[in-house]
Amino acid sequence: MIQFPKNFLWGAATSAYQVEGDNIHSDWWQWEKETGKENSGSACRHYEFYKEDFDLAKGLQHNAHRLSIEWGRIEPEEGKFSEEALKHYVDVILSLRERGLEPLVTLHHFTNPVWLARLGGWENKRSVKFFLRYSEFVVRALAKHARYWITINEPTVLVYEAYILGVWPPQTKSLWKARTVKNHLAKAHIKTYHLIHKIYKEEKLSHPLISVAQHMQDFIPCIPSFKNKLAASLRFHWFNLELIDRFLRHKALDFIGVNYYSRQRVELQKWGIRNLALDVCQNEGHCVGEKNSSGWEIYPEGLHRVLLRLKKYRLPIVITENGICTSDDPLRWRYIEAHLRNIHRAMEEGVPVVGYIYWSLMDNFEWHDGFGPRFGLIDINYTTQQRTVRESAVKFGRVCETGILQ
Ligand code: FCB
């Protein structure tokens, strides 16, 4: 039996675009139309059903919930801010509070307003100013009701998917652009961090807790040759830690938000920047663990290893995402359980983890993979919008209620 501390944050996450539906002012919406990809459409209609969804989260004994604000709704045209959309999100946060759920609010979760995409998105250096202006509008309204902020979700993943792999909008493969975008995202985080602190001071509110949600993976050399070891350790640094180090140099992190799903077995094909950044072992026989339905290896020990690497920062850590897409619900519970055990082990070894947020509260639109992958604690029937709580959710709920894992 293991026991987590009393005031541990327990909950699940969503992101606006993936659950709300009809985010017509966002670049992804446009991109789905242009490319003929599966359309996010009305998704889970969470924009309408958020209260019902939060009732379910409360029933599952969650005490926290991570969500995001859709920039395209707040600022559908450059410089034109929607009071109506803002009011909606105030209501959303208040609904969480009424149910005893601590909100963790993400300002940017992959999507941009269409107008910004037309101006070059994060390649444009004005993106930083635009993001600050939008953030100020939102934070001024929500500061009284929220304490935890995530400025940007997975900046490194956004750069990889959109500018290195070139599979997400704007589907570009350019290391130069990748570098520019990463720098703009980093700058946006640092400036927004200081802006949010300033707003809380002006409003005489107790200080906020701000981070990014940094996707981290365990990188191990597949065959432990010199080149694979070197590539794995470089990638661990670039992918997981480089931004964290940068933010700390600017005193711009109050905690570390970690999104963890899997590991990568690094197998360098040849020397080259792209190879160092991307090469993984293609030999299926080398994969020891089970996989989720999207083919990501399940490797809970990797979370323990990642957490130990974060110990030196001496900052509280919130697991802001961890989850599995599967049609095998008992496997979902085994996944959660194994990751919780590895988190607890790291805590016993001195890593200050203060919360665990499962991805996701409900099945949703999984970006370019569409509605196929099912990550939810709650099943969504996309035809009827019927919600059904899964057995794994109930088991996780018992841990949320008691802090005890048998
Ligand atoms: C993370 C994203 C989240 C979701 C999960 C499965 O990288 O932050 O939106 O897609 O993966």
Side-chain angles (χ1 to χ4, degrees):
M1 183 193 100
I2 57 175
Q3 173 130 37
F4 287 84
K6 260 208 146 18
N7 47 4
F8 206 73
L9 294 171
W10 292 108
T14 58
S15 89
Y17 194 84
Q18 293 176 272
V19 294
E20 284 179 350
D22 298 316
N23 269 308
I24 57 172
H25 299 294
S26 301
D27 57 348
W28 269 79
W29 186 270
Q30 194 84 4
W31 182 73
E32 287 156 22
K33 294 260 176 304
E34 282 164 15
T35 55
K37 290 261 175 207
E38 188 171 353
N39 196 333
S40 53
S42 46
C44 311
R45 288 173 59 186
H46 180 69
Y47 202 79
E48 277 166 84
F49 296 143
Y50 63 94
K51 288 191 180 146
E52 288 83 347
D53 293 334
F54 297 161
D55 281 342
L56 293 174
K58 183 183 174 200
L60 291 168
Q61 312 298 330
H62 297 185
N63 64 19
H65 180 72
R66 180 173 169 227
L67 74 162
S68 77
I69 311 285
E70 191 68 12
W71 187 355
R73 282 190 192 270
I74 294 283
E75 192 180 357
E77 285 175 56
E78 184 188 341
K80 294 216 170 112
F81 290 87
S82 162
E83 290 293 342
E84 196 191 327
L86 185 67
K87 181 173 176 313
H88 169 84
Y89 287 112
V90 173
D91 290 346
V92 167
I93 303 291
L94 289 175
S95 307
L96 287 172
R97 284 271 176 236
E98 278 161 21
R99 290 163 180 76
L101 296 160
E102 176 75 42
L104 285 83
V105 188
T106 306
L107 286 164
H108 187 275
H109 198 120
F110 294 152
T111 50
N112 298 309
V114 175
W115 61 262
L116 176 61
R118 290 208 182 107
L119 294 174
W122 288 92
E123 290 167 50
N124 185 332
K125 75 168 192 267
R126 289 163 71 207
S127 56
V128 177
K129 273 204 182 140
F130 291 138
F131 185 68
L132 274 167
R133 186 175 62 177
Y134 148 73
S135 297
E136 171 146 23
F137 183 72
V138 171
V139 174
R140 288 226 179 258
L142 296 185
K144 280 193 287 298
H145 315 300
R147 188 158 183 231
Y148 286 89
W149 291 92
I150 306 283
T151 54
I152 298 171
N153 181 66
E154 300 189 344
T156 317
V157 170
L158 178 57
V159 170
Y160 261 72
E161 297 283 355
Y163 296 92
I164 295 180
L165 294 172
V167 291
W168 284 2
Q171 288 193 293
T172 309
K173 280 193 194 177
S174 155
L175 288 177
W176 176 253
K177 286 187 180 169
R179 193 167 166 268
T180 308
V181 168
K182 187 173 177 186
N183 285 336
H184 289 157
L185 290 167
K187 211 167 172 188
H189 166 77
I190 293 164
K191 285 181 177 274
T192 308
Y193 173 94
H194 293 294
L195 170 74
I196 300 177
H197 271 280
K198 185 175 132 253
I199 294 174
Y200 274 67
K201 252 198 202 128
E202 285 171 10
E203 310 270 335
K204 300 198 171 42
L205 295 164
S206 69
H207 68 91
L209 297 165
I210 308 167
S211 185
V212 283
Q214 180 69 2
H215 190 116
M216 297 197 187
Q217 301 187 22
D218 192 15
F219 293 98
I220 59 138
C222 189
I223 293 161
S225 60
F226 169 74
K227 67 175 175 33
N228 288 349
K229 282 192 202 159
L230 180 74
S233 98
L234 275 177
R235 207 174 304 168
F236 197 101
H237 177 74
W238 284 341
F239 197 84
N240 295 343
L241 303 182
E242 201 265 318
L243 281 179
I244 301 293
D245 289 336
R246 204 188 298 190
F247 297 153
L248 285 172
R249 283 198 297 278
H250 288 87
K251 300 196 177 6
L253 279 185
D254 301 312
F255 69 97
I256 303 176
V258 176
N259 293 359
Y260 176 87
Y261 290 87
S262 183
R263 73 165 170 179
Q264 295 284 348
R265 287 166 298 108
V266 177
E267 182 73 52
L268 203 65
Q269 306 302 320
K270 60 176 191 218
W271 294 103
I273 292 278
R274 279 191 76 84
N275 301 83
L276 284 165
L278 293 172
D279 286 356
V280 288
C281 176
Q282 303 295 346
N283 188 332
E284 283 301 309
H286 291 170
C287 175
V288 288
E290 283 178 277
K291 290 184 175 175
N292 74 11
S293 65
S294 293
W296 311 351
E297 187 183 356
I298 300 170
Y299 191 63
E301 297 77 11
L303 179 53
H304 174 254
R305 279 164 43 94
V306 165
L307 289 174
L308 287 190
R309 293 283 296 272
L310 302 179
K311 187 175 169 182
K312 63 174 182 188
Y313 296 115
R314 295 166 182 272
L315 277 177
I317 294 168
V318 178
I319 307 301
T320 38
E321 284 181 29
N322 171 244
I324 178 172
C325 52
T326 179
S327 53
D328 175 353
D329 196 50
L331 176 61
R332 186 185 325 277
W333 170 242
R334 290 205 303 282
Y335 181 99
I336 297 175
E337 197 184 0
H339 284 81
L340 288 178
R341 288 193 194 283
N342 277 284
I343 293 167
H344 194 266
R345 188 150 70 97
M347 290 166 74
E348 283 182 331
E349 291 164 42
V351 184
V353 182
V354 299
Y356 176 86
I357 306 291
Y358 178 81
W359 181 271
S360 171
L361 179 63
M362 56 195 143
D363 294 337
N364 59 50
F365 180 73
E366 178 51 24
W367 307 114
H368 64 297
D369 288 331
F371 289 107
R374 297 214 171 229
F375 279 93
L377 292 174
I378 297 167
D379 168 272
I380 302 277
N381 176 327
Y382 293 108
T383 316
T384 60
Q385 288 294 338
Q386 166 90 26
R387 274 79 169 134
T388 310
V389 171
R390 295 194 163 113
E391 191 51 39
S392 54
V394 175
K395 291 188 170 151
F396 176 53
R398 277 188 211 120
V399 183
C400 300
E401 185 178 11
T402 59
I404 293 171
L405 182 60
Q406 295 291 348

